[in-house]
Amino acid sequence: MKPAATPKSTNTLAAKLARLGLRTDADFIVHLPLRYEDETRITRIADARSGEAAQFEVEVVDCEIAFRPRRQLIARVVDDSGAMSLRFLNFYPNQQKMLQIGARLRVFGEVHEGYLGEEIIHPRFQTVGAAQALPDCLTPIYPTTAGLGQATLRRLIARALERSEAANAMHDTLPKAMLKSLRLPEFAAAIRLLHTPPPDVKLSDLESRKHPAWRRVQFDELLAQQLSLRRAYAARRTRSAPQLMASGQLTKALLASLPFELTHAQVRTWREIAADLVQPHPMQRLLQGDVGSGKTIVAALAMLQAVEAGYQAALMAPTEILAEQHYRKLSGWLEPLGMKVGWITGSLKAKAKREAISSVGAGDTPLVIGTHALIEENVEFKKLGLTIVDEQHRFGVRQRLALKDKGQYAHQLAMSATPIPRTLAMSLYADLDVSVLDELPPGRTPVVTKLVADSRRADVLTRVRAACIAGGQAYWVCPLIEESETLQLKTAEETFAMLVEAMPDVKVGLVHGRLKADAKAAVMAAFAANEIQLLVATTVIEVGVDVPNASLMVIEHAERFGLAQLHQLRGRVGRGAAHSACILLYAQPLGQLARARLKIIFENNDGFEIANQDLHLRGPGEFIGARQSGMPLLRYADLEDVDMVANARRVADQMLNESTTQVDMHLARWLGGREDLLKA
Ligand code: ADP
Ligand code: MG
C-alpha cells in the first residue's frame, strides 16, 4: 500500500500522525471516529433541550468582556425564535473579532441553563455566508493527539479513502456468502458509512457501536487477531519434537507415594498433557488453575514423563521464593524415587552454579528447577524434552521465548494462576491449547473474608496474637505503594517493628523484595518450619507460596490492591485443614471503584468468577492491559461478545484452510506492521 502523501512542512505533522499509528492509506481508512456530531440540521433556540448538543444559526447582538466572577467573554445571540448567551472562559482576540455585533454564526454545543438564562459554554462556531449549505452527513470526531486538529485529520482521511477507492483497495476479504450468514455488511460500505454517516442513520446506533457497520469492523478486528494467532499456532505445529513415550513407571511410583489422590480435574488435565507429549510436534499448552488448585503435581507428572522417555525437563518460576519452593516440593517427591533434581538461580555461589550447569550439560540432572537464571546463564541441556514456565504472565515476552530456544524442539507447558474469563482466553490465547483445573482439592474450608475499617486495628492485633499463640501462623501484608519502592520498604520495616513490640510473645519475621535471595529463602524456610509465627511481607508473597499451616492473613490498605492481586494473596491461606480467614483492612473514605472491588472479593472465592466481575468492572482494555503488556489492544472489538469471538475463531480456521491470499490481505489491512507484537 502506498504511503499517504503528506504536505511539505510536515515533519511535525508526520510525527503526530505516527503517534496515532497513521502511516499508510490503509491505516487512515481504519482510523475510525470516536463519536459524531450532527451538523446536518439547524435547531431553533426555542426548541433547544438542556444538555443535548445541537447546532444553531444565530446573529450576534451584543458581545462584551465581563469580569465577574472572573474574566470572560460573553456574546448574546438571537434567532427568530429566541435568544441565548455564548460564554468563553478562555478566548483569543480573533475569536472576539468573529463575535462582533451583526455577525452570522453557526454554533454547535450543549445548551444549559446558566445564571444569564440559556447559554452554551465554549461552543464551536464559525461565521456563515447567506444560504451556505449544511453538510449532508454527520460530522465524525476522530481520536487525535495534541496539536492535530479535527479538520486536518478529516481531510487526510477523506483523501486516503478517495485514493483507496480509486485504487480498488477497499475490496472485501470475506466472501459474500459468509457475510450473508454472519449478517454483516461489506467492508467498503461499512467503512464509508462510519466515516461519513448519512443523517438518517441513528446517532445512538453509531455511538453505542451496535450499528452493523461497527459490527463488521469489530468482527474484522477479532478475525485478524485469530488469523494471526492461529497461523502462529499452525506454524509451530509443523516443527518436530521428540515423542515422549513413557513406561509410566515413575509417574505410577510418584502417584503411589503421594498422601492424596488426584482430583478429577488434575487427572483430566494430566491426560491432556500426556497425550500432547507423545505427539511428534511440540506441545503448546497453557494450564490454567486457580490458586491452590494443584498445578505443581501436574507439572511434576509431565516432567517425569519426559524423564522416563530419556529426556530432561526444566521448570522456570518468576521469583526465587517460588522457585525454591518448587525445588523443595519436587525434591521431596522425587528424590525418594531416586531422581536428582537440579537447582539453578542467580544467587547460587559461583562454584555451585558451575557444577549445577555442568551436570545439566552432561545430562546427569534429568530435572532442573530455577528462576530466569535458567535462560540468562550459559545453561546448555544435553537433551531437553520439556520446558515448563510457572506464572507465565510474570515473565517478559523475551524471556519466555528464550526458554523455548533452549530446547528448540522441546514441548512447552505454561502455567497460570491468573484466571481469565473464557472469551478472553479464546481471544488472547488463540495460539495455545488451554487446559483448565476447575476444581480444588477436597477438604479445603473456604477462606472467610472480613472487611475491617482501619480504625479497628487494635481488635485485629488482638486476634492475630491469639491465633499465633494458639499454634497458628499468619501473614501480615503491607500496603502496596506504587509510587515508591523505598517507601514500601520503609512501611514494611515500620510495620514489622510495630508488630514485634505489640506481640513480644510471638516470633515475627519480615520478608520483602530487597532482601538478598538467601536471606529471603531463610525467612521463608523458617516460616514453613513454624519457627516464625507471624510473617510481615510485601507483595513478594503474592504468587505461589505454600505454607498450609498459615490460616490467617491481614492485608493492609486492601483498597489499593487490584482484584487479581487480592485473590492471589488470599490464596496463600486456606491451604490446610484449619478454618482460615483473610482480614482486609481499609482506610476510609472508600472511592467508588475500591468499594466495588472490595465487595467482589468479599462475596466471591472462585478466581474465575472474580475475573469475570473484574472484566465487567474495568472493561477488557484495562483488564488485559494489566496482564499482557506488549499486547496491542483491539481498538474496536468487544471481547465480551462471546458469539462474535467464537465466530471469528471459526471463520479464521476456515479461511486458513482455504485461501492464503485472503488471509494475507486481511492481516495487512488490520495489523499492518503490528503482527509480530500480537504473536509474541
Ligand atoms: P497451585 O495450583 O496454586 O500451584 P499447588 O500445586 O501449590 O497449587 O497445590 C496447593 C496445595 O495442595 C499443595 O500443598 C499441594 O500439595 C496440595 N494438593 C495438590 N493436589 C492435591 C490433591 N489432589 N489433594 C489434596 N491436596 C493436594
Ligand atoms: Mg503454583
Side-chain angles (χ1 to χ4, degrees):
M1 233 148 284
K2 253 187 317 170
T6 34
K8 280 223 182 81
S9 61
T10 59
N11 263 343
T12 55
L13 177 62
K16 286 175 203 153
L17 293 172
R19 238 175 287 147
L20 294 170
L22 299 176
R23 283 171 302 268
T24 66
D25 278 354
D27 297 333
F28 280 90
I29 287 170
V30 296
H31 191 70
L32 296 170
L34 278 175
R35 59 191 175 83
Y36 300 88
E37 286 176 351
D38 188 353
E39 297 176 319
T40 65
R41 277 182 271 254
I42 302 289
T43 304
R44 290 162 18 121
I45 292 177
D47 298 336
R49 272 194 261 163
S50 181
E52 263 176 38
Q55 178 171 245
F56 306 90
E57 195 157 310
V58 298
E59 187 182 327
V60 179
V61 292
D62 191 16
C63 184
E64 57 166 21
I65 293 177
F67 286 91
R68 253 173 284 174
R70 52 184 269 208
R71 186 170 183 270
Q72 51 186 293
L73 180 66
I74 299 175
R76 260 328 258 179
V77 298
V78 297
D79 66 8
D80 52 19
S81 75
M84 65 178 169
S85 302
L86 310 180
R87 202 139 67 87
F88 299 85
L89 301 171
N90 309 301
F91 55 93
Y92 300 103
N94 74 321
Q95 285 179 306
Q96 194 181 350
K97 222 182 284 162
M98 286 167 76
L99 291 167
Q100 60 190 277
I101 295 173
R104 288 204 63 76
L105 308 175
R106 274 193 196 145
V107 176
F108 190 94
E110 270 180 34
V111 177
H112 289 282
E113 202 59 42
Y115 75 112
L116 299 170
E118 295 202 312
E119 64 173 14
I120 306 182
I121 297 172
H122 288 182
R124 210 148 38 73
F125 68 93
Q126 55 177 1
T127 41
V128 280
Q132 186 172 316
L134 287 166
D136 57 8
C137 67
L138 296 173
T139 310
I141 309 293
Y142 292 103
T144 186
T145 178
L148 179 60
Q150 289 294 329
T152 311
L153 203 45
R154 244 173 245 150
R155 202 179 60 243
L156 292 172
I157 289 172
R159 263 202 252 148
L161 273 168
E162 265 169 45
R163 260 197 305 266
S164 305
E165 305 238 16
N168 238 342
M170 299 270 282
H171 50 75
D172 221 295
T173 45
L174 295 177
K176 279 213 167 61
M178 194 178 282
L179 290 178
K180 203 164 161 221
S181 77
L182 294 165
R183 302 217 192 110
L184 291 173
E186 286 186 19
F187 175 76
I191 290 294
R192 234 179 276 124
L193 185 138
L194 292 175
H195 285 295
T196 53
D200 60 342
V201 171
K202 274 225 315 256
L203 199 56
S204 60
D205 283 355
L206 287 179
E207 310 235 292
S208 67
R209 305 212 164 171
K210 298 284 187 256
H211 190 281
W214 270 124
R215 295 184 56 77
R216 170 65 205 256
V217 164
Q218 292 156 347
F219 181 82
D220 269 21
E221 205 177 39
L222 288 172
L223 179 62
Q225 184 194 37
Q226 292 288 331
L227 286 171
S228 162
L229 294 173
R230 299 301 290 163
R231 181 135 88 174
Y233 175 87
R236 290 195 300 258
R237 243 177 122 82
T238 61
R239 295 191 201 148
S240 55
Q243 294 178 269
L244 303 177
M245 303 291 190
S247 61
Q249 261 171 354
L250 287 172
T251 46
K252 223 177 271 158
L254 172 60
L255 288 173
S257 74
L258 290 177
F260 53 76
E261 301 250 310
L262 295 188
T263 62
H264 293 295
Q266 284 171 321
V267 171
R268 173 171 41 78
T269 51
W270 157 231
R271 282 209 186 110
E272 287 165 358
I273 292 164
D276 281 357
L277 293 176
V278 299
Q279 299 294 316
H281 46 75
M283 167 166 72
Q284 21 191 345
R285 187 170 286 278
L286 173 69
L287 175 60
Q288 266 202 307
D290 206 349
V291 279
S293 58
K295 293 181 289 294
T296 318
I297 185 67
V298 178
L301 289 166
M303 292 174 94
L304 283 188
Q305 179 162 343
V307 175
E308 282 179 22
Y311 284 81
Q312 289 169 295
L315 169 61
M316 181 167 86
T319 65
E320 291 253 1
I321 289 185
L322 198 50
E324 162 102 30
Q325 188 179 285
H326 281 319
Y327 173 65
R328 270 192 285 122
K329 186 152 246 172
L330 276 110
S331 358
W333 281 335
L334 301 177
E335 279 179 359
L337 305 180
M339 290 194 50
K340 189 164 161 196
V341 180
W343 168 239
I344 297 179
T345 70
S347 66
L348 274 188
K349 296 252 158 52
K351 180 157 171 273
K353 198 187 289 175
R354 247 192 339 265
E355 281 171 10
I357 291 175
S358 94
S359 166
V360 169
D364 296 338
T365 312
L367 288 171
V368 193
I369 320 280
T371 56
H372 37 88
L374 268 183
I375 45 183
E376 278 154 16
E377 311 286 339
N378 293 323
V379 186
E380 303 271 355
F381 290 83
K382 178 134 189 269
K383 226 179 154 192
L384 184 59
L386 169 66
T387 65
I388 302 182
V389 180
D390 194 16
E391 304 297 344
Q392 51 98 22
H393 63 282
R394 286 286 186 120
F395 288 98
V397 165
R398 223 167 26 83
Q399 290 175 317
R400 257 156 30 206
L401 295 179
L403 187 60
K404 286 177 186 170
D405 288 345
K406 291 270 175 197
Q408 228 200 320
Y409 302 103
H411 294 276
Q412 290 140 22
L413 179 66
M415 302 199 288
S416 169
T418 307
I420 303 205
R422 213 178 76 83
T423 45
L424 273 192
M426 192 170 21
S427 170
L428 295 180
Y429 298 146
D431 61 340
L432 292 172
D433 296 307
V434 180
S435 291
V436 180
L437 274 178
D438 48 8
E439 181 189 358
L440 292 182
R444 302 264 166 92
T445 37
V447 180
V448 174
T449 301
K450 300 216 157 108
L451 295 175
V452 179
D454 240 349
S455 49
R456 289 178 43 215
R457 221 167 215 280
D459 299 351
V460 174
L461 280 173
T462 310
R463 173 158 181 189
V464 169
R465 184 169 161 263
C468 289
I469 285 173
Q473 286 178 279
Y475 295 97
W476 191 289
V477 181
C478 295
L480 183 69
I481 300 172
E482 268 175 357
E483 314 82 66
S484 157
E485 204 192 326
T486 319
L487 214 56
Q488 179 155 336
L489 185 61
K490 186 163 160 273
T491 318
E493 279 166 349
E494 284 168 6
T495 309
F496 173 67
M498 179 274 285
L499 289 169
V500 167
E501 199 180 313
M503 306 183 195
D505 42 2
V506 169
K507 278 193 220 90
V508 187
L510 171 66
V511 63
H512 55 72
R514 287 278 185 83
L515 280 185
K516 286 249 166 56
D518 44 357
K520 221 187 281 178
V523 176
M524 292 312 296
F527 189 59
N530 201 355
E531 287 153 17
I532 289 174
Q533 280 110 47
L534 176 58
L535 183 63
V536 180
T538 55
T539 47
V540 293
I541 59 153
E542 183 193 339
V543 289
V545 172
D546 183 34
V547 179
N549 190 48
S551 60
L552 183 59
M553 172 173 284
V554 178
I555 303 179
E556 284 207 67
H557 280 289
E559 78 280 359
R560 293 189 194 162
F561 291 87
L563 272 171
Q565 219 173 7
L566 285 175
H567 180 63
Q568 283 285 329
L569 283 168
R570 184 175 58 182
R572 300 307 111 219
V573 291
R575 302 191 145 235
H579 284 274
S580 297
C582 178
I583 298 174
L584 303 177
L585 278 174
Y586 63 89
Q588 280 165 314
L590 280 177
Q592 211 180 358
L593 203 61
R595 183 181 300 273
R597 275 201 303 264
L598 291 180
K599 182 167 185 292
I600 292 173
I601 199 80
F602 175 72
E603 288 175 352
N604 296 280
N605 264 311
D606 174 5
F608 281 93
E609 186 50 36
I610 290 169
N612 258 323
Q613 300 206 21
D614 197 10
L615 175 63
H616 286 302
L617 196 65
R618 291 193 290 166
E622 290 232 350
F623 183 91
I624 303 165
R627 288 168 174 71
Q628 310 275 318
S629 43
M631 163 91 196
L633 299 182
L634 297 167
R635 286 185 285 174
Y636 311 115
D638 175 4
L639 284 171
E640 289 185 69
D641 189 333
V642 187
D643 293 340
M644 197 183 274
V645 175
N647 278 334
R649 168 69 150 258
R650 186 174 49 81
V651 171
D653 284 338
Q654 193 177 329
M655 272 173 85
L656 285 167
N657 280 333
E658 282 166 8
S659 165
T660 315
T661 26
Q662 299 295 93
V663 172
D664 287 340
M665 282 190 321
H666 193 88
L667 288 175
R669 172 174 287 161
W670 286 101
L671 298 181
R674 300 180 304 150
E675 203 182 344
D676 281 349
L677 272 175
L678 202 57
K679 258 193 299 226

